[in-house]
Amino acid sequence: MTELPDRRLLLVHAHPDDESINNGATMARYAAEGARVTLVTCTLGEHGEVIPAGLRHLTGTALGEHRLGELTAAMRELGVEDFRLLGGKGRYEDSGMMGIADNDDPACLWQADVDEAARELVEVILEVRPQVLVTYDPDGGYGHPDHIQAHRIAMRAAELADDAGWRIPKIYWNRVPRTVADEAFARLQADLPGLPFGKAAVVADVPGVVADERITTVIDGAAHATAKAAAMRAHATQIEVAEPTAPYFALSNELAQPLFTTEYYELVRGERAAEPGAAKETDLFAGVTLGEAS
Ligand SMILES: [Zn+2]
């Protein structure tokens, strides 16, 4: 059996770029601390809208191939060596935004059999034996079919892995506390004139925003803010990052959004650990017994 580091974190995402936007600082932190960070991305985002005019000729498989290159560069910025595509490259395709005809393509993730896709993920779980799984909430954060499906696959895989020999002790969903989002958008309004983006997004555009009480865990990513911004920049077909005073970014809709370097989570499986002097957990592995079965 291969030697694994004591701490092992698994993240499941829909498209290349989601991992850097949601968890870039968290991934960089744990990679820097010597934990095993494993990213499973479900599709190559073949239907993503391309921002740079010079790359807009890229569509479908060619765009997917290009985005795999972007993902590789982003992982280099975060120091993450273990990143994989669910079921191997090209197994599941991007489903596009909810309600479009691409949702019906039999090759797309939205049409995938959840149990079958989950079994592909169980293979990874049994190999890596993560103590922590991070994914989206049941709505996928904002209703994109691939994000919803990534949630279902991740949660089902955790369930199947229970019976297959590895119970993941802690599962988290990506979150943003409402007051943090409100304050960041207020700041954005003030900073907007200095940004290369014409308009600002609104809080409702941010995935996973919930009442502050639901946040169980706060990862301060200040030390990894530069790595996170660099990883996001590596996804150049999808993201434009600007940092005059605070960092902001925009997707292909060109609406400015705050770039959060503190990342927030809601624990949905496992015991919330009490940390002295901290109202919330500050470590995803808090309370986990390490070294078992590794
Ligand atoms: Zn996505």
Side-chain angles (χ1 to χ4, degrees), residues 13-18 21-22 43 67 136 142 144 146-147:
H13 277 291
H15 313 110
D17 79 353
D18 294 318
I21 298 170
N22 285 282
T43 82
R67 292 188 66 178
Y136 313 110
Y142 72 113
H144 189 297
D146 290 331
H147 288 238

Side-chain angles (χ1 to χ4, degrees), residues 1 5 46 62 65 68 123 168 170 174 205-206 245 278:
M1 205 163 266
E46 294 91 343
E65 199 62 46
L68 179 56
E123 295 298 311
I168 301 172
K170 297 179 99 176
N174 295 308
D205 294 323
V206 177
T245 49

Side-chain angles (χ1 to χ4, degrees), residues 144-159:
H144 189 297
D146 290 331
H147 288 238
I148 294 171
Q149 198 75 324
H151 159 86
R152 291 175 180 163
I153 291 164
M155 298 306 285
R156 180 67 180 138
E159 220 172 79

Side-chain angles (χ1 to χ4, degrees), residues 126-213:
L126 295 182
E127 180 198 327
V128 176
R129 287 165 278 154
Q131 294 103 341
V132 176
L133 167 66
V134 168
T135 190
Y136 313 110
D137 67 18
D139 179 46
Y142 72 113
H144 189 297
D146 290 331
H147 288 238
I148 294 171
Q149 198 75 324
H151 159 86
R152 291 175 180 163
I153 291 164
M155 298 306 285
R156 180 67 180 138
E159 220 172 79
L160 294 173
D162 286 349
D163 300 326
W166 185 257
R167 181 170 172 82
I168 301 172
K170 297 179 99 176
I171 302 178
Y172 292 94
W173 292 343
N174 295 308
R175 291 299 190 198
V176 176
R178 167 119 8 230
T179 57
V180 169
D182 285 343
E183 283 163 24
F185 275 89
R187 220 165 33 237
L188 166 58
Q189 280 306 330
D191 288 344
L192 193 61
L195 294 174
F197 315 117
K199 286 184 183 164
V202 292
V203 172
D205 294 323
V206 177
V209 175
V210 288
D212 296 20
E213 308 86 80

